[in-house]
Amino acid sequence: MKKNKQRKRNRIISCTLIIIALVLIIGCVAYIGYNKKTESGESIVSNSTTDNTPNSDSKDTSSEPSESNNSSTNDTAQNTDFKLSDDLAGAIALIAQSYNEFDSTSVEGEAWQEFFTSHFLMNSHYGFEYLNDLTEKNSNIIDEEQAEYMSYSLTGVESDFTFAEPLDYNNAASFFNDAYLESYTSEMLDDGVLVHAVITTISTTIENDEPVVSNTSYNVDVKLVNNSSSCFDGYSISSLKCIQ
């Protein structure tokens, strides 16, 4: 009898200890799981904060334009800013009227002096700003040195002019044929501008004692080069080619 009671008591004690052990084990497992979950959450919050913090050493390229973009914009503006003045437009038309092709080799000898004098210096249908100011201040007189400077301004080539006497602008005359630049487009070059122009020539002939006027239009390509000494808006005509 006593042995049965002792065995029963031992079983109760054993069950109690087992239950206590199980409770302790479950508690430890729950504690460890809770700590891992807490650490994982803190890590996520930390990483999120780090990723969203702006870097003071970096640049926001989406809001700040780059230097290359600025350069491209400026080039475009330069391309669209070029405007052909009345002085240069008239000069191009006069040369295209007389030369199918024009370059530095065209600017030589007496032939050039005669052409430049008659078409640019003594042409009552065409006058440019520098010539108008000069003749107004100088009692309509043009000397050799002044003529050479204006020729150099137009062509970029130095020429020697010889006059028997200074030119008197009071004796300026006009031609039966006239020309003007009707329209143009332009391309900016490293050393100047390439102009694609349409020239219209007005010719007057006499038929049955009556004047007959006819117009002819054609295209020309003109290269203008930078010339800081030129009175033609800082450009000289380097070359011209008529395209019929």
Side-chain angles (χ1 to χ4, degrees):
M1 186 73 175
K2 289 183 179 178
K3 289 182 179 179
N4 291 334
K5 290 182 178 179
Q6 183 67 31
R7 289 177 180 174
K8 186 176 182 180
R9 186 180 299 139
N10 291 338
R11 288 177 183 174
I12 293 172
I13 293 172
S14 298
C15 290
T16 302
L17 291 175
I18 291 172
I19 292 171
I20 292 173
L22 289 173
V23 170
L24 290 175
I25 292 172
I26 293 172
C28 290
V29 170
Y31 178 78
I32 294 171
Y34 175 79
N35 282 343
K36 288 185 177 180
K37 183 177 181 180
T38 302
E39 292 174 358
S40 175
E42 290 176 352
S43 175
I44 293 173
V45 172
S46 176
N47 291 337
S48 175
T49 303
T50 303
D51 292 341
N52 292 332
T53 303
N55 186 351
S56 60
D57 294 332
S58 65
K59 292 185 179 180
D60 183 2
T61 56
S62 63
S63 60
E64 294 182 8
S66 65
E67 293 181 1
S68 60
N69 287 339
N70 285 339
S71 175
S72 176
T73 302
N74 290 338
D75 289 343
T76 302
Q78 289 176 2
N79 287 345
T80 57
D81 281 348
F82 176 76
K83 183 178 180 180
L84 200 60
S85 68
D86 291 340
D87 288 354
L88 270 174
I92 291 172
L94 286 178
I95 292 179
Q97 184 183 22
S98 301
Y99 292 85
N100 287 327
E101 292 189 18
F102 177 89
D103 56 28
S104 60
T105 61
S106 307
V107 187
E108 56 185 24
E110 294 183 2
W112 171 251
Q113 176 179 318
E114 292 176 2
F115 170 80
F116 185 75
T117 299
S118 61
H119 286 73
F120 283 87
L121 303 182
M122 300 292 288
N123 185 352
S124 61
H125 277 184
Y126 170 75
F128 49 97
E129 185 176 356
Y130 183 86
L131 176 64
N132 294 337
D133 291 343
L134 174 66
T135 52
E136 182 178 351
K137 295 176 182 178
N138 203 31
S139 301
N140 287 328
I141 300 301
I142 306 168
D143 63 26
E144 294 172 350
E145 185 176 351
Q146 293 163 342
E148 289 170 354
Y149 165 70
M150 287 182 276
S151 174
Y152 168 74
S153 294
L154 180 67
T155 66
V157 179
E158 295 184 353
S159 302
D160 294 325
F161 283 11
T162 302
F163 298 147
E165 57 184 13
L167 303 178
D168 187 348
Y169 193 68
N170 290 313
N171 298 325
S174 61
F175 296 88
F176 281 112
N177 299 334
D178 204 354
Y180 65 92
L181 190 149
E182 187 170 342
S183 62
Y184 71 94
T185 59
S186 62
E187 300 177 34
M188 299 305 297
L189 305 174
D190 291 339
D191 59 347
V193 187
L194 180 61
V195 176
H196 308 286
V198 177
I199 305 296
T200 296
T201 298
I202 305 172
S203 302
T204 303
T205 58
I206 303 299
E207 295 182 9
N208 299 323
D209 297 329
E210 294 292 335
V212 177
V213 179
S214 61
N215 296 345
T216 303
S217 296
Y218 48 92
N219 297 320
V220 299
D221 286 343
V222 187
K223 182 179 179 181
L224 305 176
V225 294
N226 299 321
N227 182 352
S228 59
S229 299
S230 173
C231 62
F232 287 90
D233 304 309
Y235 290 102
S236 295
I237 298 177
S238 173
S239 65
L240 179 150
K241 183 176 182 180
C242 294
I243 306 171
Q244 300 294 344

